[in-house]
Amino acid sequence: SQLVKIMRQGSGGSSGQQLDFEGFTLKANKREIRVPTQLFINGVFVDAEGQRTLDIVNPTNEEVLCQVACASSGDVDRAVQAAHTAFYGSWKQTTARQRGQLMLNLADLMEQHKEELATIESVDSGAVYTLALKTHVGMSIDAWRYFAGWCDKIQGSTIPVNPARPNNVLTFTRKEPIGVCGLITPWNYPLMMLSWKMAACIAAGNTCLIKPAQTCPLTALKFAELTVRAGFPPGVINVLPGKGSDAGQAVADHQLVRKLGFTGSTPIGKHIMKSCADSNLKKCSLELGGKSPLIIFADCDMDKAVKHGMSSVFFNKGENCIAAGRLFVEDRIHDEFVRRVLKDLRTMTIGDPLNRSTAHGPQNHKAHFEKLLDFCQRGVAEGAQLVYGGCRVPDLKGYFFTPTVFTNVTDDMYIAQEESFGPIMIISKFNGSDVDSLMQRANRTEYGLASGVFTKDIGKALSFADRVEAGTVFINVYNKTDVAAPFGGFKQSGYGKDLGQEAVNEYLKTKCVTVEY
Ligand code: TAP
């Protein structure tokens, strides 16, 4: 890896300082992209303690792409100290409107570099390039712009409390940033998960450090470089690739971290919540796993139901937290629905995610790929009918998993209850005249992230929305998320929202001031 120098942007233009980093050159997509490979702490790229590194594997060919610095608990401590100093120093001096402008600068830079970011994301995570450009990177830019707008609109309220006559009293609230925030994110949408959390956190006036998933931290590192160019003061944003059990745990345990924003699995979420409580009772928000029900009534628009039903499962190769984990299809249209899904699946282009005609790329990493094989074997062993896929794509190197369909799935089966996080459609039938037992089945899960329904009967759709126990409900559409709309789960899918105004509140605390006069 060779040293790169870029000019650091001061608040009034170039300050003439240089930013050096070690990186590697990614040659892909007819581009040569310099990607930093060191930790980003206090505005500079540095090696990890003891020069520890992680191998980063390209899921399309199973080859090692590069080595990236792997943070230890000592590195986490350095980053927290830097974020703490910035919080009480340079960042406090930065006005809300300046903060918003820095975020807009960053969004503009991300836009200018969007093809580079999407290329890195595609190579590192296996995301299809066209989707990486539109969703992984596009929605990240939207998030920075959307939350930039909140910076100078964070307001408290005046409250009519009872005065002790003859005196009067004024009570008002102030919304204040919490302090140093730790962010821990998964591997399915690396840059987007970073942006959803960090943009809200920074807009609220906090400083932060992020530990991205160890399998694909490259866009987070390229992003770190862009934060310097955008003019963020050192220490406000720190990026530390590393292992969850080590660097991630150190973030959750740290005494100076006051809030933890986590997206990942339910078991790790529970573990992290305990660490937050035991260390310093830090506030935490948890976006966890899901097994979202999608109901397809016989009176639906069948073309739409097939199109969205497929994307509810196969979007981003199933590595989608709100993916429909179970499809309930009304018995009268079940066979036709399955036939049409299979017809479309047979024409799905699988292959190099950088190829513009590819619809389905490799799974993110080896352990996940193997977990999917095991998941399908359990389905078959329990008697579900495997009607398509369930195996590696023949003759392709890389973690390519054939999009899969199971029918005749009963509620007690493992595959009906557990999240696969892969391109596996699980179909069960229901009798349309018994909506009560359908709702019981749909809600018989400890998860509550998302849900969907297809019907032309608006009354039926809205009554589903009333009764379903999930944080997100899609009607005659699926995966339609937006940076302005709150996103997050019920039950063991966690609590606290990403996106929308509610996300800003997750990173604020309320101070109540009372004056007697
Ligand atoms: P996890 O294994 O839970 O990992 C998530 C993050 O936590 C990773 O960065 C991981 O580090 C880190 N981590 C692991 N152990 C830790 C510990 N002891 N302390 C602190 N951090 C720790 O999940 P995953 O397999 O990456 O992601 C898949 C899961 O995420 C699925 O269940 C999916 O549904 C969920 N997800 C939910 C949402 C929303 S919005 N609800 C969105 C996307 C994904 P490593 O990189 O070392 O593993």
Side-chain angles (χ1 to χ4, degrees), residues 4-25:
V4 173
K5 291 180 187 294
I6 62 163
M7 295 308 282
R8 211 181 258 279
Q9 186 81 24
S11 48
S14 169
S15 66
Q17 276 178 293
Q18 284 188 332
L19 173 74
D20 300 337
F21 61 81
E22 283 180 23
F24 89 109
T25 303

Side-chain angles (χ1 to χ4, degrees), residues 184-189 193 196-197 211-215 242-252 260 262-269 271-272 275 286-290 319-322 365 371 419 421 447 449 487-489 493 498:
I184 299 180
T185 47
W187 40 261
N188 58 337
Y189 295 101
M193 291 294 104
W196 283 18
K197 295 210 178 302
K211 193 217 75 70
Q214 62 169 298
T215 60
K243 297 189 176 178
S245 53
D246 189 356
Q249 187 64 51
V251 177
L260 197 138
F262 175 80
T263 295
S265 62
T266 298
I268 301 288
H271 172 82
I272 278 183
S275 304
L286 304 169
E287 296 287 353
L288 309 176
E319 294 168 2
N320 186 17
C321 50
I322 54 170
H365 57 277
K371 207 185 104 191
E419 180 184 37
F421 217 50
Y447 292 116
L449 192 53
F487 180 99
S493 290
D498 277 334

Side-chain angles (χ1 to χ4, degrees), residues 196-435:
W196 283 18
K197 295 210 178 302
M198 199 189 285
C201 167
I202 293 292
N206 301 283
T207 58
C208 69
L209 64 157
I210 184 164
K211 193 217 75 70
Q214 62 169 298
T215 60
C216 41
L218 297 182
T219 40
L221 291 170
K222 188 71 188 169
F223 166 88
E225 181 196 323
L226 298 182
T227 66
V228 179
R229 295 180 193 248
F232 277 90
V236 173
I237 293 171
N238 302 274
V239 180
L240 289 93
K243 297 189 176 178
S245 53
D246 189 356
Q249 187 64 51
V251 177
D253 287 340
H254 206 289
Q255 295 290 328
L256 290 180
V257 174
R258 296 291 170 193
K259 153 91 201 202
L260 197 138
F262 175 80
T263 295
S265 62
T266 298
I268 301 288
K270 288 183 180 181
H271 172 82
I272 278 183
M273 194 172 162
K274 284 189 199 133
S275 304
C276 288
D278 288 345
S279 53
N280 60 349
L281 209 63
K282 58 177 73 62
K283 182 177 172 178
C284 69
S285 48
L286 304 169
E287 296 287 353
L288 309 176
K291 188 73 179 170
S292 304
L294 171 60
I295 315 291
I296 300 178
F297 282 104
D299 63 0
C300 68
D301 172 335
M302 191 63 156
D303 290 343
K304 252 185 145 182
V306 171
K307 178 173 161 241
H308 290 280
M310 288 191 65
S311 84
S312 78
V313 175
F314 302 118
F315 192 77
N316 200 39
K317 25 162 182 142
E319 294 168 2
N320 186 17
C321 50
I322 54 170
R326 262 195 103 176
L327 270 64
F328 295 92
V329 183
E330 190 165 344
D331 44 14
R332 287 189 286 146
I333 57 160
H334 173 273
D335 292 355
E336 189 197 347
F337 180 83
V338 174
R339 188 179 51 72
R340 290 181 58 169
V341 166
L342 294 185
K343 181 167 169 270
D344 286 359
L345 273 185
R346 288 191 188 98
T347 58
M348 191 184 265
T349 337
I350 303 175
D352 182 357
L354 288 172
N355 190 323
R356 303 300 187 270
S357 62
T358 300
H360 182 83
Q363 303 305 140
N364 184 276
H365 57 277
K366 189 169 184 217
H368 177 53
F369 176 81
E370 285 168 354
K371 207 185 104 191
L372 295 180
L373 286 172
D374 179 62
F375 188 91
C376 290
Q377 276 157 14
R378 290 184 78 153
V380 172
E382 285 187 317
Q385 195 174 349
L386 176 65
V387 291
Y388 198 84
C391 56
R392 176 185 270 277
V393 176
D395 308 324
L396 263 189
K397 207 175 167 200
Y399 309 127
F400 288 95
F401 196 86
T402 313
T404 297
V405 180
F406 277 103
T407 58
N408 291 348
V409 179
T410 53
D411 298 354
D412 55 323
M413 289 179 185
Y414 176 84
I415 62 169
Q417 293 174 6
E418 295 300 324
E419 180 184 37
S420 77
F421 217 50
I424 303 175
M425 187 178 273
I426 309 286
I427 304 180
S428 308
K429 284 183 197 173
F430 71 91
N431 177 342
S433 63
D434 188 0
V435 177

Side-chain angles (χ1 to χ4, degrees), residues 88-109:
Y88 290 100
S90 58
W91 205 226
K92 254 211 159 62
Q93 307 303 321
T94 309
T95 66
R97 218 156 280 164
Q98 286 169 332
R99 206 159 73 222
Q101 188 56 53
L102 287 170
M103 293 174 71
L104 291 173
N105 295 351
L106 177 61
D108 288 350
L109 280 164

